[in-house]
Amino acid sequence: MFSFFRKTREKITPIDLNNPDAVVTVINCRHSKNPFGKNYRGCCEIQEEYFTSVCFQTIDGNDMLYEQPHHCFVNFSTPKAYPYKLWVGRKIELYEGKIHVGTMVVEEIKNSILDRNTKFENQDNILENYKVLNLALKRSLEWGKKYVIPLDNKLLKSLPTLSGTDIEKISKYVIQVRDDILWKIYYPNWDVKEGVLKIDAKKAVSEKYSWINKDNLASLDSQGKYYAWHG
């Protein structure tokens, strides 16, 4: 899953740090606590199961210390191969091989080919589009190797015509709903001694979130019982 690959034959152009693609805030979370260099080169998951190399240059010219936010210019290796994948506020995970080592948050987009909100318009009342919400909720409940992929990465693939603003809005709302159900409805209402729920949790979920479909209710019920049982 974490192996680096490109789905393009486009010639890779040199990184130009004098003409950055974006300004970002980088947080180094290496387990070793070693700093990133001031001209750090790494790898990020720009969309679901699509990794690309990135090169950073710290604006203040200093190395990036462990858990200290640092403002940087960033260049992506082949931005034309994955257009419209950034929006201000997007959080992107950084990797070294299979190991997660940090995050970057987009503060400003300088390369318009990457700016998703110039391509797709925000939709009115997007949080009332129950078909979209159920698709997002389904993807947020995936297990196995899909579990660790950030939801916004999944939605870039599953909802390809949404703006970045709407993807972020949906991601935040769906994760909030999922966590509310799992940890505030199922978890506190589990009878540890009897090994059963003390309430009709599916009914409680349906009453609170009437838009959730039957398949997602079943998945939430299964996961809710699992987490409650395992503590």
Side-chain angles (χ1 to χ4, degrees):
M1 169 183 173
F2 293 103
S3 58
F4 172 69
F5 63 94
R6 296 185 182 87
K7 296 178 182 176
T8 177
R9 293 182 180 179
E10 179 181 351
K11 183 178 178 181
I12 299 172
T13 55
I15 298 294
D16 180 9
L17 286 170
N18 293 316
N19 187 27
D21 290 319
V23 178
V24 298
T25 297
V26 175
I27 298 180
N28 169 5
C29 63
R30 273 176 170 162
H31 186 264
S32 66
K33 300 186 180 180
N34 290 332
F36 294 157
K38 61 183 179 182
N39 295 117
Y40 175 68
R41 187 183 294 268
C43 177
C44 74
E45 189 176 22
I46 192 69
Q47 64 184 42
E48 185 179 7
E49 296 185 332
Y50 193 118
F51 286 75
T52 188
S53 60
V54 285
C55 188
F56 300 96
Q57 176 178 287
T58 57
I59 292 175
D60 63 10
N62 296 322
D63 290 347
M64 291 177 263
L65 302 180
Y66 179 70
E67 291 190 340
Q68 299 298 311
H70 238 95
H71 295 294
C72 304
F73 295 119
V74 62
N75 278 101
F76 295 83
S77 61
T78 53
K80 290 182 180 180
Y82 34 82
Y84 310 117
K85 294 299 185 289
L86 299 185
W87 57 88
V88 173
R90 186 182 177 196
K91 180 181 177 182
I92 304 175
E93 309 302 327
L94 301 175
Y95 295 89
E96 292 174 353
K98 296 181 179 181
I99 302 172
H100 177 253
V101 295
T103 60
M104 64 173 160
V105 178
V106 178
E107 306 290 350
E108 179 185 356
I109 301 168
K110 292 183 173 291
N111 185 347
S112 60
I113 194 66
L114 288 166
D115 191 344
R116 190 170 187 83
N117 287 337
T118 64
K119 175 70 172 178
F120 303 105
E121 294 185 0
N122 299 336
Q123 296 184 19
D124 294 335
N125 304 317
I126 189 65
L127 296 184
E128 295 178 12
N129 186 329
Y130 299 150
K131 182 178 180 180
V132 166
L133 292 183
N134 273 293
L135 188 153
L137 181 58
K138 178 181 179 180
R139 297 236 56 195
S140 79
L141 293 168
E142 291 174 328
W143 282 32
K145 69 176 186 177
K146 299 284 188 180
Y147 177 79
V148 297
I149 300 175
L151 183 56
D152 60 355
N153 274 13
K154 296 178 180 180
L155 298 187
L156 279 169
K157 183 175 181 180
S158 297
L159 299 169
T161 61
L162 286 188
S163 71
T165 300
D166 282 347
I167 286 175
E168 184 146 337
K169 187 182 294 184
I170 291 166
S171 295
K172 288 181 177 179
Y173 176 67
V174 163
I175 289 171
Q176 174 190 321
V177 169
R178 180 197 66 192
D179 290 350
D180 177 58
I181 292 169
L182 296 178
W183 303 110
K184 294 184 180 179
I185 294 179
Y186 276 86
Y187 187 79
N189 288 298
W190 182 258
D191 188 321
V192 177
K193 185 177 180 180
E194 298 295 330
V196 295
L197 285 163
K198 294 179 284 186
I199 64 169
D200 185 341
K202 287 182 71 174
K203 181 180 179 181
V205 171
S206 294
E207 290 176 348
K208 189 170 185 179
Y209 302 107
S210 58
W211 55 267
I212 297 179
N213 63 30
K214 291 182 179 179
D215 288 343
N216 281 332
L217 274 176
S219 295
L220 286 162
D221 187 60
S222 175
Q223 291 190 28
K225 289 175 180 176
Y226 175 85
Y227 288 127
W229 174 49
H230 284 272

